[in-house]
Amino acid sequence: MDSTDGLDRAHRGLWPSLRAHYVTLDPEEKEQPEHLATVRAVYQHPVTRDGFPYVGIAFDCLRDPERGVGAIMHGNRVVHLGGAEVAAEAGIAERDAADPRTGLDEALIGHWSSDPFDYGVLECSDLELRADGTGWSSVSNAFTEDVDRLTWGCPEPGVLELRSPEGDVIRHRYVVGPAVPVHSAEPVMSVTFEEPVAYSYQYGKWG
C-alpha cells in the first residue's frame, strides 16, 4: 500500500475518535478536531496485520498542549488513543497484531455510524468498538454531543455485551451484513440490532 494512501485512511478513521476525545475533555466543545489538532510526527511501525501496516500519528493539541494527542492506527481503525507519546509505541501495534481477538466478533471491530440510515432524524449515533475490548458510543445533534465510554465482548455468537464504567451490562442481539442506505443505491456493511444501541438500530461501517 502506498504510504500516502495509508496515512489518508488513518486520518479518515481517526477524526471521529478525536472528536469523541475532545468532547470527553469538554462536553461543550464545538470545534471540529481538524481545527484543534496539528500533526507533529508520523511513525510507520514495522508491524502488519492482514496486509496493513500500523501507523502512529502524534498531534499538537490546542486543548491539551502539554500532553498532545497520539494514536496508533491500523488502516482506518483506531487501535489506541492517548497522549502524543502513544504514537511512537511500537509495542501497542505488536500486541494488536498478535491478539487472537478471543471473546470478540472481528466483524464488529471498527467505527460505526447511524448516519447512512438516518432519514428525517435530527440526531446521529456513533459506535466505536476497538480490538482491545474498549470503545465508546455517542449521540449528537446540532446543539450537543454526548459520549459514553464502554467495554465490550461477545459472550455468544450474535450477541454484543456492552459494559459501562459504572458496571452496568446490556446485551444486544445483532446481525452484520450489507444493507442499502437511505440516500444511496450502493450497499454498505452494516450492523443491525434488535434493540437500539445509543438510540439507533442500524449502523454503517465507517471508512
Side-chain angles (χ1 to χ4, degrees):
M1 175 187 294
D2 180 85
S3 60
T4 302
D5 289 343
L7 189 56
D8 286 344
R9 282 173 57 86
H11 271 117
R12 288 196 300 272
L14 182 54
W15 291 134
S17 284
L18 276 180
R19 173 66 192 161
H21 172 72
Y22 286 124
V23 171
T24 57
L25 291 177
D26 179 4
E28 301 301 319
E29 182 62 71
K30 300 300 182 185
E31 287 286 353
Q32 292 302 308
E34 55 265 35
H35 300 147
L36 298 173
T38 304
V39 175
R40 176 193 304 176
V42 177
Y43 306 85
Q44 183 155 329
H45 297 294
V47 186
T48 63
R49 181 170 181 145
D50 301 326
F52 290 98
Y54 287 79
V55 176
I57 307 175
F59 296 87
D60 290 320
C61 172
L62 288 178
R63 297 295 186 255
D64 194 357
E66 290 189 8
R67 294 184 67 233
V69 178
I72 298 289
M73 304 293 297
H74 180 240
N76 62 3
R77 175 174 65 86
V78 177
V79 176
H80 191 76
L81 185 71
E85 73 282 355
V86 163
E89 295 183 14
I92 295 174
E94 292 167 355
R95 288 191 293 274
D96 186 83
D99 191 342
R101 312 290 197 243
T102 303
L104 305 178
D105 181 351
E106 288 202 56
L108 289 177
I109 295 172
H111 187 87
W112 303 84
S113 175
S114 69
D115 184 64
F117 303 100
D118 291 336
Y119 181 75
V121 177
L122 298 179
E123 291 185 329
C124 178
S125 301
D126 285 80
L127 180 65
E128 183 159 296
L129 302 175
R130 296 179 183 168
D132 63 357
T134 65
W136 53 269
S137 65
S138 72
V139 179
S140 59
N141 56 41
F143 305 102
T144 187
E145 182 171 3
D146 294 320
V147 176
D148 293 312
R149 299 292 180 182
L150 57 86
T151 57
W152 71 285
C154 296
E156 59 184 271
V159 176
L160 171 65
E161 182 177 276
L162 300 177
R163 299 176 291 273
S164 73
E166 295 74 31
D168 298 322
V169 177
I170 302 177
R171 291 186 174 184
H172 300 270
R173 293 198 172 275
Y174 68 89
V175 175
V176 175
V180 178
V182 174
H183 297 294
S184 174
E186 296 296 324
V188 299
M189 188 55 63
S190 73
V191 57
T192 304
F193 297 99
E194 285 188 358
E195 298 294 331
V197 175
Y199 299 103
S200 291
Y201 287 88
Q202 192 169 26
Y203 292 78
K205 194 72 172 283
W206 178 274

